[in-house]
Amino acid sequence: MQRTVRSLALMAGLSLALLPSFAVAQKYPNHPVKILVGFSAGGPVDVVARIVADRLQAKLGQPFVVENRAGANGMIAAEAAARSEPDGHTILASNSSAITLNPTLFKDARYDVQRDFAPLTTVVSAPLVLVVNPENPKTANIRTVADLVAAAKAAPGELAYGSGGNGNLAHLAMELLGQKAGIKMIHVPYRGGSAAEVGILAQEVLAVFDPLSAVPLVKAGKLRALAVSSAARLPSLPDVPTVAEAGYPGFDISFWVGFLLPKATPAPIVETLHREIVAVATDPASKERLETQGVVSVLGAADYAARIEKETRELAAVVAAANIKAE
């Protein structure tokens, strides 16, 4: 009899312990939800966050308000999200750099992704496009990755490439290619990807891993695409091979935008938001809008967490091998 009473008491205790999480999840959301964006309005993360926010608000019946807290390559917003109440009413919308690169590049980063966040899903993924300027006499005959590698080997440490800044994803992509191909080129950091694009058009540098803004320039013949950085080809440039197909298996670097919650957020809320964000991404109307920022790409929460862990580990190795320091 005593054993039965103790068992019932234990079960009651467990039920009470689970009650707060269950209660929160049952009435979620019960007030406006903030989506923190660590970058300025109009950029890819902001655009994706606002498309998702509009649909979540319509579906879940509470305002979903995008709040831009730009600065420190997304770290200000990420830290605020990590320290927020884990009740689903604060969501982080982030690019890949703030999640996979910042903890390696910035020793003063005050958040730990594995400890502080519950990943929900990616929404869009965008490869970088390795381009040269066909009007530049030095690259007029470079039509493949093999051609670029051969040119770099013929003039070690003399050819310059551009990126949107030191530690930028485009910088790391070129460093990874250099490490795999056994070449060394001069890095010219610009103040953003747009400035690097201007630099290659002005023939200041010979090659750039450009964002998707390069696609119209490639189609217009202003730039020549040698490869894309993702594991799969880019639908808008179907004839351009991946770097892996060009001879460097395993090469896979993409810019992505995804959503994360504070780590202790109750599982039912995580599941609700994952389900609804995936529904937004796969709905034809919103998908068309999202595709202006990249290829729509959704993941299960566990797969997203695994991707973050893998990319963080791989990019940390590139940073260490190239001795890249944050500016």
Side-chain angles (χ1 to χ4, degrees):
M1 182 67 177
Q2 284 184 325
R3 182 176 300 173
T4 301
V5 171
R6 284 197 300 269
S7 298
L8 290 171
L10 178 60
M11 292 172 65
L14 288 172
S15 298
L16 287 172
L18 293 171
L19 187 59
S21 294
F22 179 76
V24 169
Q26 283 293 93
K27 55 187 178 181
Y28 174 82
N30 57 22
H31 59 267
V33 178
K34 289 188 297 186
I35 299 182
L36 299 183
V37 172
F39 304 90
S40 57
V45 181
D46 178 75
V47 170
V48 170
R50 291 180 189 278
I51 293 170
V52 171
D54 288 346
R55 294 297 300 273
L56 291 180
Q57 181 169 308
K59 185 67 181 292
L60 297 178
Q62 286 284 350
F64 277 71
V65 181
V66 174
E67 186 174 310
N68 298 91
R69 296 193 188 180
N73 197 34
M75 286 196 292
I76 294 172
E79 183 183 355
R83 303 291 174 261
S84 66
E85 189 69 24
D87 60 2
H89 290 85
T90 301
I91 304 170
L92 177 65
S94 180
N95 67 11
S96 50
S97 294
I99 300 301
T100 61
L101 267 177
N102 283 359
T104 296
L105 282 175
F106 298 94
K107 301 307 178 186
D108 60 344
R110 292 186 291 273
Y111 58 92
D112 179 282
V113 176
Q114 288 191 343
R115 180 193 65 209
D116 295 331
F117 289 109
L120 284 169
T121 182
T122 53
V123 174
V124 297
S125 182
L128 300 168
V129 185
L130 178 58
V131 294
V132 295
N133 186 342
E135 297 179 0
N136 186 334
K138 295 181 179 178
T139 54
N141 294 321
I142 293 179
R143 299 181 176 277
T144 65
V145 174
D147 292 340
L148 179 64
V149 170
K153 286 185 174 179
E158 295 181 19
L159 305 187
Y161 72 92
S163 83
N166 202 52
N168 178 276
L169 198 62
H171 177 198
L172 267 68
M174 193 67 85
E175 285 293 336
L176 178 59
L177 176 61
Q179 290 169 19
K180 286 181 173 290
I183 58 173
K184 185 67 178 176
M185 298 173 68
I186 301 169
H187 176 223
V188 179
Y190 288 85
R191 297 182 68 84
S194 297
E197 199 169 79
V198 171
I200 192 168
L201 289 169
Q203 303 183 18
E204 295 171 350
V205 292
L206 300 187
V208 169
F209 265 108
D210 223 359
L212 291 188
S213 58
V215 172
L217 293 169
V218 170
K219 291 185 174 181
K222 299 294 185 182
L223 293 174
R224 178 183 294 141
L226 307 183
V228 295
S229 66
S230 53
R233 293 193 180 196
L234 185 62
S236 56
L237 295 174
D239 296 329
V240 177
T242 66
V243 175
E245 289 174 325
Y248 302 97
F251 195 106
D252 183 11
I253 291 182
S254 292
F255 170 93
W256 48 256
V257 177
F259 291 81
L260 306 96
L261 289 166
K263 186 73 169 184
T265 303
I269 294 176
V270 175
E271 292 162 5
T272 295
L273 283 170
H274 178 269
R275 181 180 66 251
E276 297 301 336
I277 293 173
V278 169
V280 173
T282 53
D283 176 76
S286 50
K287 183 180 179 182
E288 184 176 358
R289 296 172 63 197
L290 289 167
E291 284 175 340
T292 63
Q293 305 303 314
V295 179
V296 170
S297 173
V298 295
L299 294 171
D303 289 336
Y304 185 20
R307 178 174 185 173
I308 289 171
E309 191 279 329
K310 176 177 179 289
E311 290 185 9
T312 300
R313 183 180 68 252
E314 291 175 348
L315 293 176
V318 176
V319 168
N323 195 30
I324 297 170
K325 305 294 184 183
E327 293 179 344

